[in-house]
């Protein structure tokens, strides 16, 4: 184990140099030129390990290309490692907040240091360690490295890109999103909530607020009632949440409003609870109870699902992978546990195609925040330098367990 740690320590300066280059390339999702430049740099960085590059167009032409790197093995088995290229920070925001690569003690601040360029640097470290520690295993397996160009906007087409690359002999898909922590425990991600975004549109009837008030069917009033019902669908005991995100309605003050709209999202861990939540939401559609006094004209409530990312529920195949990480942690004296996370990742798209485990990245915090305030209440995204080597050792040891386990079968 000491030789593994030594080897990783020796590689760290190079890994951090790689990370610095990646962070200095702006790869905001809606900056396809930057995303493609990062993909090119990433492909070059893994070329020395023997990987060849292929890019796959995004379905949405506003986004950059997905990246697939392959190193063919002598044997039939394959292991996939998954990350993404994009970040949530537009170049103007990085400039406005002076948010750039900034090492400070054990932290490195900067866009994507933690989500997820640090994870890509972790992949690079782990593959170098595998090549050096277990060259026979490294050469026997086919390694597929997959980067989503537009994970932050939950592009669904990347799931199909992965499935096309997996084949039937893929033992695992390992996702390099950030590490979870609970005290000293490293938390591997074994489930993620699914998410549906929705819109409620109420159509009432406009009327003069002075002379024909009785003819109006107030859409805002109806929306208010309907939204109370949406909020009441939240059930924390089942990890089912509804969030009302935006509301708008009405036009001018002397008019009974004829339309009002709200949008929000819903999340749940299991397919059953997810679909029961969706059904309950859709059932709120129909004629409302707010009516015009003059003729009983009723408001109409319409409910639409705008987008869906299905849940990644707790499952046996993922748990078997997590157990390998826990065994490896036992050997390395690193406490390892599991968590179910509320946020989405590419794991949601692929968990039922091959056994999937997430959270293989380094430790850090404040993802998606670019601001720093003088009083310390706002701290931007950072990655912790000292978290790389122990986590890379853990990942390397666990991947070797996975490789040997399956070759015995
Ligand atoms: Zn991410």
């Amino acid at each position: 184990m000491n030789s593994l740690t030594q080897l990783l320590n020796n590689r760290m300066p190079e890994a951090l140099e790689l990370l610095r280059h990646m962070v200095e390339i702006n790869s905001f999702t809606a900056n396809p030129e930057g995303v493609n430049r990062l993909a090119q740099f990433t492909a070059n960085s893994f070329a020395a390990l023997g990987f060849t590059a292929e890019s796959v167009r995004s379905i949405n032409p506003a986004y950059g290309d997905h990246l697939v790197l392959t190193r063919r093995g002598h044997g039939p088995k394959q292991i996939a490692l998954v990350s993404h290229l994009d970040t949530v920070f537009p170049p103007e925001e990085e400039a406005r907040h002076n948010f750039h690569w900034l090492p400070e003690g054990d932290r490195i601040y900067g866009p994507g240091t933690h989500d997820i360029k640090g994870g890509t640097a972790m992949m690079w470290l782990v593959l170098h360690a595998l090549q050096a520690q277990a060259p026979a295993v490294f050469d026997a397996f086919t390694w597929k490295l997959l980067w989503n160009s537009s994970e932050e906007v939950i592009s669904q087409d990347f799931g199909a890109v992965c499935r096309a690359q997996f084949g039937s002999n893929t033992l695992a898909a390992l996702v390099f999103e950030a590490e979870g922590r609970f005290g000293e425990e490293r938390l591997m991600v074994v489930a993620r909530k699914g998410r549906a975004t929705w819109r409620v549109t109420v159509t009432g009837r406009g009327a003069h607020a002075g002379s024909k008030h009785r003819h109006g069917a107030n859409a805002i009033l109806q929306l208010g009632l309907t939204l109370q019902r949406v909020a009441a669908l939240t059930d924390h005991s089942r990890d089912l949440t509804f969030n009302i995100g935006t509301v708008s309605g009405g036009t001018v003050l002397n008019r009974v409003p004829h339309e009002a709209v709200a949008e929000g999202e819903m999340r749940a861990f299991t397919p059953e609870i997810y679909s029961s939540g969706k059904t309950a939401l859709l059932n709120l559609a129909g004629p409302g109870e707010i009516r015009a006094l003059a003729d009983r004209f009723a408001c109409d409530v319409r409910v639409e699902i705008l987008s869906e990312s299905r849940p990644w529920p707790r499952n046996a195949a993922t748990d078997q992978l997590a157990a390998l990480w826990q065994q490896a942690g036992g050997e390395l004296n690193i406490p390892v546990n599991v968590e179910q996370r509320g946020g989405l990742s590419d794991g949601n798209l692929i968990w039922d195609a091959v056994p999937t485990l997430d959270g293989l990245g380094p430790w850090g915090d404040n993802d998606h925040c670019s601001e720093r305030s003088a009083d310390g209440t706002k701290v931007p995204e950072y990655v912790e330098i000292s978290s790389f080597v122990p986590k890379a050792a853990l990942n390397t040891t666990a991947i070797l367990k996975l490789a040997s386990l399956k070759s015995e079968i």
Side-chain angles (χ1 to χ4, degrees):
M1 292 311 154
N2 283 338
S3 70
L4 174 57
T5 302
Q6 188 63 50
L7 186 149
L8 290 165
N9 277 324
N10 291 343
R11 284 283 176 186
M12 268 303 280
E14 216 182 326
L16 291 180
E17 193 53 18
L18 178 83
L19 179 57
R20 184 177 67 80
H21 267 105
M22 292 191 294
V23 169
E24 285 175 351
I25 299 171
N26 177 280
S27 62
F28 177 48
T29 316
N31 172 15
E33 184 271 328
V35 168
N36 289 343
R37 203 146 43 86
L38 176 64
Q40 187 59 57
F41 174 77
T42 305
N44 294 344
S45 305
F46 285 78
L49 279 160
F51 283 89
T52 53
E54 179 187 340
S55 56
V56 183
R57 280 271 151 83
S58 285
I59 281 184
N60 188 328
Y63 303 143
D65 299 338
H66 306 300
L67 174 65
V68 181
L69 300 186
T70 305
R71 186 185 198 275
R72 293 234 165 270
H74 308 311
K77 301 283 171 59
Q78 175 169 298
I79 293 176
L81 314 185
V82 177
S83 179
H84 60 85
L85 295 165
D86 61 329
T87 71
V88 296
F89 304 110
E92 313 77 56
E93 182 184 329
E94 292 183 5
R96 191 166 61 245
H97 295 157
N98 192 23
F99 184 45
H100 300 292
W101 174 265
L102 177 66
E104 213 178 80
D106 193 27
R107 293 179 177 184
I108 301 170
Y109 297 95
T113 46
H114 188 225
D115 183 13
I116 192 181
K117 294 172 181 179
T120 296
M122 177 70 76
M123 282 165 61
W124 184 92
L125 270 176
V126 168
L127 290 165
H128 273 285
L130 288 166
Q131 186 186 42
Q133 291 284 107
V137 174
F138 188 67
D139 287 339
F141 276 80
T142 291
W143 301 91
K144 279 277 176 196
L145 317 183
L146 301 126
W147 281 267
N148 190 345
S149 68
S150 42
E151 190 270 351
E152 295 291 358
V153 293
I154 321 172
S155 286
Q156 302 287 318
D157 61 320
F158 183 67
V161 173
C162 291
R163 282 159 198 270
Q165 296 283 341
F166 284 158
S168 58
N169 279 322
T170 301
L171 300 188
L174 305 171
V175 185
F176 281 71
E177 291 285 354
E179 174 174 289
R181 283 266 178 104
F182 184 72
E184 281 302 297
E185 283 182 340
R186 270 71 168 176
L187 303 178
M188 308 307 298
V189 180
V190 293
R192 287 179 179 271
K193 280 184 173 175
R195 172 178 182 256
T197 61
W198 48 261
R199 177 187 297 140
V200 175
T201 306
V202 177
T203 309
R205 187 167 68 191
H208 194 289
S211 57
K212 294 199 79 174
H213 190 264
R214 289 167 58 86
H215 284 259
N218 192 315
I220 292 177
L221 210 50
Q222 179 62 53
L223 184 64
L225 292 174
T226 303
L227 290 181
Q228 293 293 333
R229 290 185 190 119
V230 173
L233 294 175
T234 288
D235 182 352
H236 286 289
S237 73
R238 295 197 301 155
D239 278 321
L240 172 66
T241 59
F242 284 80
N243 183 50
I244 297 157
T246 64
V247 174
S248 63
T251 52
V252 290
L253 303 189
N254 60 350
R255 186 177 182 195
V256 176
H258 69 289
E259 189 170 84
V261 181
E263 290 184 2
E265 57 146 63
M266 175 207 94
R267 296 192 190 225
F269 274 121
T270 71
E272 297 74 33
I273 294 173
Y274 177 91
S275 71
S276 78
K278 213 174 92 178
T279 304
L281 178 72
L282 291 170
N283 282 344
L284 297 176
E289 59 267 65
I290 299 297
R291 292 169 176 269
L293 284 174
D295 62 355
R296 309 292 295 153
F297 176 93
C299 286
D300 178 64
V301 179
R302 195 151 51 90
V303 182
E304 298 161 87
I305 300 295
L306 303 176
S307 70
E308 287 195 80
S309 301
R310 72 235 176 88
W312 167 13
R314 194 80 190 261
N315 67 90
T318 292
D319 281 350
Q320 279 164 20
L321 285 176
L324 297 177
W325 263 251
Q326 289 186 295
Q327 282 171 30
E331 288 170 20
L332 297 168
N333 248 329
I334 300 171
V336 175
N337 213 330
V338 299
E339 70 167 319
Q340 308 193 70
R341 220 176 256 184
L344 302 163
S345 85
D346 288 320
N348 292 67
L349 304 176
I350 57 177
W351 68 271
D352 56 348
V354 294
T356 299
L357 187 69
D358 198 349
L360 277 79
W363 167 253
D365 211 348
N366 303 339
D367 297 18
H368 297 199
C369 178
S370 68
E371 291 180 274
R372 184 191 290 265
S373 65
D375 65 358
T377 52
K378 287 183 186 172
V379 176
E381 174 176 345
Y382 67 88
V383 72
E384 197 178 271
I385 299 168
S386 61
S387 73
F388 276 93
V389 168
K391 189 62 173 288
L394 177 70
N395 290 334
T396 304
T397 307
I399 290 170
L400 288 174
K401 283 183 182 300
L402 172 69
S404 65
L405 183 79
K406 297 293 177 170
S407 60
E408 281 164 15
I409 291 169

